[in-house]
């Protein structure tokens, strides 16, 4: 699907605030409510709009301690990768898990209450997963930029 300028602007507006009504969007795009609705439905059908979510203020729910954990597996076999991935997706503290190239095999973004909670997570959950060779944790000092908006 080729996106025109209106699709791109619509996607930007929805990424900025997905709770805007089709009427509000139609006024910003200078289109009818029906035209906006049809464009949104087409973007959803084509899979360009994947899902709608609510972003939580982590500090307000006592999950403000952010850790980036670099992880190496003991071997790079398909079996080890598959087993690790199937287990790590079950850990609710892990928001993101990326299979990467370089010195480490995976980078995990983990959120917990504090350092004590991270230690507990590390000892009782993460390091109990099979095939982990080593971990290296980096702690967020401050968040300079965090956006979900993809520039199209």
């Amino acid at each position: 699907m080729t996106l025109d300028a209106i699709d791109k602007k619509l996607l930007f507006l929805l990424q900025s605030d997905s709770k805007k009504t089709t009427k509000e969007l139609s006024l910003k795009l200078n289109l009818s409510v029906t035209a906006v609705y049809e464009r949104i439905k087409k973007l959803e059908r084509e899979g360009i709009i994947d899902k709608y979510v609510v972003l939580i203020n982590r500090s307000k729910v006592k999950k403000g301690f952010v850790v980036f954990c670099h992880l190496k597996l003991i071997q790079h076999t398909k079996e080890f990768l598959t087993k690790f991935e199937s287990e790590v997706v079950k850990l609710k503290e892990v928001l993101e898990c990326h299979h990467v190239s370089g010195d480490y095999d995976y980078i995990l973004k983990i959120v917990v209450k504090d350092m004590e909670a991270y230690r507990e997570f590390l000892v009782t959950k993460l390091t109990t997963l099979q095939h982990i060779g080593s971990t290296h944790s980096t702690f967020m000092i401050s968040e300079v930029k965090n956006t979900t908006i993809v520039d199209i």
Side-chain angles (χ1 to χ4, degrees):
M1 175 180 173
T2 304
L3 300 174
D4 64 17
I6 294 172
D7 289 327
K8 291 176 182 180
K9 187 170 182 184
L10 174 58
L11 287 167
F12 173 79
L13 292 169
L14 287 170
Q15 287 182 94
S16 300
D17 182 2
S18 65
K19 286 196 68 157
K20 289 226 181 289
T21 65
T22 50
K23 183 176 182 177
E24 291 171 311
L25 293 167
S26 71
L27 294 171
K28 291 191 181 284
L29 296 169
N30 201 25
L31 293 174
S32 71
V33 172
T34 303
V36 170
Y37 176 83
E38 290 302 323
R39 280 180 181 263
I40 291 171
K41 288 299 165 197
K42 184 177 181 184
L43 292 165
E44 290 172 348
R45 273 192 314 274
E46 293 292 327
I48 293 169
I49 294 176
D50 191 29
K51 61 183 161 184
Y52 298 88
V53 299
V54 171
L55 300 176
I56 303 292
N57 180 329
R58 293 183 311 270
S59 297
K60 299 277 185 181
V61 294
K62 296 185 170 87
K63 299 289 182 179
F65 193 75
V66 179
V67 182
F68 296 96
C69 182
H70 299 72
L71 193 138
K72 286 184 189 181
L73 297 183
I74 55 175
Q75 288 182 15
H76 298 99
T77 64
K78 183 177 181 181
E79 176 194 340
F80 283 18
L81 296 173
T82 304
K83 180 70 172 160
F84 170 76
E85 290 175 6
S86 69
E87 291 176 354
V88 77
V89 297
K90 297 174 188 171
L91 301 175
K92 62 182 173 58
E93 296 86 352
V94 177
L95 295 187
E96 299 176 26
C97 176
H98 303 275
H99 189 187
V100 296
S101 64
D103 292 338
Y104 294 94
D105 298 315
Y106 292 92
I107 298 176
L108 282 57
K109 181 178 181 182
I110 300 163
V111 296
V112 290
K113 180 182 177 185
D114 53 23
M115 179 65 82
E116 185 178 326
Y118 180 64
R119 182 185 185 285
E120 181 71 15
F121 167 77
L122 195 63
V123 171
T124 64
K125 292 183 180 180
L126 188 62
T127 57
T128 64
L129 299 184
Q130 295 180 1
H131 314 306
I132 292 179
S134 66
T135 63
H136 175 86
S137 301
T138 305
F139 308 102
M140 182 181 77
I141 295 170
S142 68
E143 195 168 75
V144 177
K145 180 178 182 180
N146 181 353
T147 184
T148 58
I149 297 175
V150 176
D151 185 35
I152 304 166

